[in-house]
Amino acid sequence: MVSVTSQPLDLAAHEAAVADPRAGAVVSFQGVVRDHDHGRSVLSLEYEGHPSAEDVLREVADEVAADPAVHAVAVSHRLGPLTIGEVALVAAVSTAHRAAAFAACARLVDEAKARLPIWKRQIFADGTEEWVNCP
C-alpha cells in the first residue's frame, strides 16, 4: 500500500497491509499535525504535492522493501488542508525482528520526508504563514 491522497489516513489499514506470518515485528509511525513549530503557534497546515509525488513515494517504499530483512512496507502521505491532531504521514513495516523493523521504518519515514515533492504551508496564530520544503 502506497498512496498520496487527500483522504484521512488509517494506521490500522497500513499495519494490516504489512501483516505477514513470517513477521515477528511490525513497526508503525504516524506523523501528526502539532500546534507549534519553532516556538510559534500553528493553527493548521496545507500540503500540496507535485503530480509525481506518489511515484516518488513508491520508489522510496520499493527501496526499503528491497532489504532482505523486510517482509512488507506500507506508506501514505496526505495532501490538502489538515488541522491540529490530524495524521499527515503513516508508515508501517514488518520484519522478523524488532531492531530491523525499527530501522526500516525510520529509513522509510526519513527518505519519504527527504525526497517527496510535497510542500507544507503552515498557518500561524499571528496571521502569518510559511511554506516549508519548497524548492
Side-chain angles (χ1 to χ4, degrees), residues 35-92:
D35 68 356
H36 65 280
D37 189 36
H38 295 88
R40 298 176 71 190
S41 181
V42 173
L43 296 179
S44 63
L45 302 179
E46 182 176 350
Y47 287 97
E48 288 194 21
H50 188 272
S52 68
E54 190 165 295
D55 292 336
V56 173
L57 189 58
R58 190 171 316 283
E59 288 173 10
V60 169
D62 288 347
E63 289 171 14
V64 173
D67 181 332
V70 174
H71 298 312
V73 170
V75 60
S76 297
H77 199 295
R78 282 282 300 272
L79 295 179
L82 282 79
T83 59
I84 304 306
E86 285 192 277
V87 178
L89 174 71
V90 171

Side-chain angles (χ1 to χ4, degrees), residues 1-5 7-18 27-32 57 61 73-78 82 86-93 105 108-109 112-113 116:
M1 165 189 287
V2 175
S3 69
V4 173
T5 179
Q7 299 302 308
L9 302 179
D10 182 350
L11 177 64
H14 285 72
E15 290 173 340
V18 301
V27 169
S28 57
F29 171 83
Q30 292 188 105
V32 179
L57 189 58
V73 170
V75 60
S76 297
H77 199 295
R78 282 282 300 272
L82 282 79
E86 285 192 277
V87 178
L89 174 71
V90 171
V93 176
C105 192
L108 179 61
V109 171
K113 296 281 288 174
L116 270 179

Side-chain angles (χ1 to χ4, degrees), residues 101-121:
F102 278 112
C105 192
R107 179 176 172 218
L108 179 61
V109 171
D110 290 345
E111 287 295 316
K113 296 281 288 174
R115 293 170 42 191
L116 270 179
I118 292 179
W119 306 280
K120 174 174 70 174
R121 180 172 69 115

